Amino acid sequence: MRELLKIMKERALLELENTNKLEELEQLRIKFLGKKGELTQVLRGMGSLSSEERPIVGQVANEVRVLIENGIEKVKEKLKEESKNIKLNAEILDISMPGTQIEKGHRHPLIGVMEELENIFMSMGFSIVQGPEVETVYNNFDALNSPENHPSRDPSDTFYITDDILLRTHTSPVQIRTMKENKPPLRIVSAGRTFRFDDVDDTHSPMFHQLEGLVVDKNITMANLKHTIDMFIRELFGSQMKTRFRPHYFPFTEPSAEVDVSCLKCMGKGCEACNGTGWSMELLGCGMVHPNVLRNCGIDPEIYSGFAFGLGVDRIAMVKYGINNIRLLFENDMRFLNQF
Ligand code: FA5
């Protein structure tokens, strides 16, 4: 039996040497040490041995078992190490290789222009305030002195949500919110989205952006309004830029005006882009805050006066970058946007 154990040991060690997979190692363990394995079979036959031989063979069998177990453990460690190295080599990172280029995005030209306008007004002492896009009819029309029968109130011009709630048609309701919540002196600007049932053409979009400005204090005059707009336009477009104030009507300002600037392409000489007029498209509306609007907000028009203006941000972006079609600003065509 001792001879049998010796042969088994040598076979086991030889097979261990030739094992190079973890699964094969498990098979080998079952073959020699498992419940029905060769060593177990030998041990079962020990009953037929004499009482002198039994402990000796038992000891040898035990030594063979420990030897095979240790051998298995060693080979297992070796195989594990090898497979780890294979994995590590496969995952090797060459930091000298050129990386994948990540394309950097940038702000939409409209957002850039909006921030530029805000920065100019901040440098002139204005504060930035925010207003909601969903407004009350009262703030959007009534408090702004808009008569009941004003055409802009018609559902064919304005997006109503209910009879009393709408998508603001301009940023002017921010004037009302500001004057109701704060006492003069006031000097604010507020930029954001506005909505109108306008047909789309080269200069009109049903969703566009405005920047509202409001100044209320004692002794504010039209001269302050004109100077502020002129300074702002020169800061934005350069000192050679001229402004043209055309008398206009707004229910919430009196007197009121619309403002154009020199055509940036010909600088006022007249060209194809400006239909020979020398002037850009209309960029903003403005005027002296109507006394009724001040009264509606609890401000005494005998003590205070103010001016307000509303700039078309999209149109300013168009003039600044020479864009002749407002649709380009909203189509998200990367060939267009990548130019900015
Ligand atoms: C107003 O919206 C007034 N609230 C402006 C104002 C504010 C006047 C404070 C007096 C005091 P108007 O409807 O003209 O005015 O619009 C102002 C500017 O918004 C226009 O000059 C134009 O630049 C721009 N605008 C108007 N409608 C559109 C449109 N559909 N698409 C793009 N821009 C537009």
Side-chain angles (χ1 to χ4, degrees):
M1 201 169 261
R2 267 194 273 174
E3 192 55 28
L4 212 84
L5 283 167
K6 192 179 162 219
I7 294 170
M8 186 197 304
K9 181 185 85 182
E10 276 161 13
R11 256 196 313 116
L13 292 180
L14 190 73
E15 282 187 31
L16 262 175
E17 239 176 67
N18 294 325
T19 304
N20 45 26
K21 280 191 184 141
L22 281 167
E23 307 86 67
E24 284 174 13
L25 204 60
E26 178 59 11
Q27 291 303 319
L28 192 140
R29 191 191 63 74
I30 294 167
K31 183 176 167 188
F32 290 100
L33 307 178
K35 267 190 194 163
K36 291 180 188 162
E38 291 187 22
L39 186 67
T40 320
Q41 298 300 328
V42 172
L43 291 175
R44 274 200 192 126
M46 276 173 61
S48 60
L49 296 176
S50 66
S51 54
E52 292 86 38
E53 261 189 317
R54 215 178 289 149
I56 300 167
V57 172
Q59 195 190 342
V60 175
N62 206 32
E63 281 167 13
V64 170
R65 187 177 56 78
V66 171
L67 206 80
I68 296 175
E69 273 176 359
N70 287 347
I72 288 175
E73 234 9 76
K74 248 194 209 157
V75 175
K76 198 189 262 181
E77 283 308 307
K78 191 185 91 184
L79 291 179
K80 273 189 180 167
E81 188 66 23
E82 278 173 10
S83 91
K84 191 173 90 185
N85 286 340
I86 289 170
K87 254 193 188 166
L88 282 178
N89 283 338
E91 285 172 11
I92 215 154
L93 186 69
D94 181 356
I95 55 166
S96 65
M97 290 270 285
T100 321
Q101 192 87 30
I102 296 171
E103 217 177 304
K104 262 202 224 157
H106 59 81
R107 280 174 310 181
H108 190 280
L110 266 178
I111 302 297
V113 166
M114 208 127 76
E115 280 182 13
E116 191 180 351
L117 304 188
E118 286 178 344
N119 284 338
I120 293 176
F121 282 111
M122 276 201 285
S123 74
M124 291 163 77
F126 285 75
S127 319
I128 311 281
V129 301
Q130 305 277 337
E133 291 169 4
V134 176
E135 254 300 357
T136 59
V137 170
Y138 178 79
N139 282 348
N140 196 84
F141 290 127
D142 300 305
L144 284 165
N145 198 38
S146 169
E148 280 289 332
N149 59 354
H150 195 277
S152 63
R153 286 180 178 252
D154 198 275
S156 63
D157 273 7
T158 295
F159 296 102
Y160 283 89
I161 292 169
T162 66
D163 284 350
D164 305 321
I165 308 283
L166 43 69
L167 292 183
R168 67 178 177 184
T169 59
H170 50 175
T171 42
S172 297
V174 181
Q175 288 185 37
I176 303 301
R177 290 176 177 270
T178 307
M179 286 192 278
K180 279 194 158 170
E181 284 160 23
N182 304 279
K183 294 213 168 332
L186 300 170
R187 212 184 308 173
I188 61 100
V189 288
S190 181
R193 287 195 289 188
T194 48
F195 309 83
R196 287 182 197 177
F197 236 118
D198 279 349
D199 285 334
V200 180
D201 63 22
D202 288 355
T203 54
H204 291 84
S205 161
M207 189 285 291
F208 59 102
H209 300 76
Q210 285 191 344
L211 180 133
E212 191 78 11
L214 172 73
V215 172
V216 180
D217 203 345
K218 289 175 180 158
N219 304 319
I220 298 292
T221 69
M222 190 82 181
N224 299 124
L225 164 62
K226 193 161 182 301
H227 180 68
T228 304
I229 299 292
D230 279 346
M231 280 221 339
F232 156 72
I233 292 292
R234 295 214 181 96
E235 191 63 36
L236 183 67
F237 293 118
S239 55
Q240 73 290 5
M241 203 63 157
K242 288 202 179 82
T243 51
R244 175 171 73 168
F245 286 70
R246 284 181 285 105
H248 193 70
Y249 166 75
F250 293 108
F252 32 93
T253 46
E254 182 60 37
S256 308
E258 279 186 338
V259 181
D260 317 313
V261 297
S262 318
C263 167
L264 213 61
K265 203 162 178 195
C266 63
M267 288 319 289
K269 290 193 192 84
C271 68
E272 222 176 275
C274 59
N275 290 330
T277 63
W279 296 102
S280 72
M281 69 198 121
E282 168 215 328
L283 286 190
L284 66 115
C286 61
M288 299 306 292
V289 181
H290 196 290
N292 286 349
V293 175
L294 293 173
R295 259 184 232 112
N296 288 341
C297 299
I299 295 174
D300 186 348
E302 298 299 325
I303 304 173
Y304 291 103
S305 55
F307 67 78
F309 53 88
L311 304 162
V313 178
D314 320 73
R315 295 208 183 158
I316 290 197
M318 289 170 76
V319 171
K320 183 176 162 77
Y321 295 120
I323 300 165
N324 55 12
N325 185 344
I326 199 170
R327 298 173 186 88
L328 287 165
L329 291 170
F330 304 113
E331 281 172 347
N332 284 339
D333 185 336
M334 292 310 286
R335 289 169 303 180
F336 169 74
L337 294 175
N338 278 339
Q339 297 174 71
F340 299 94

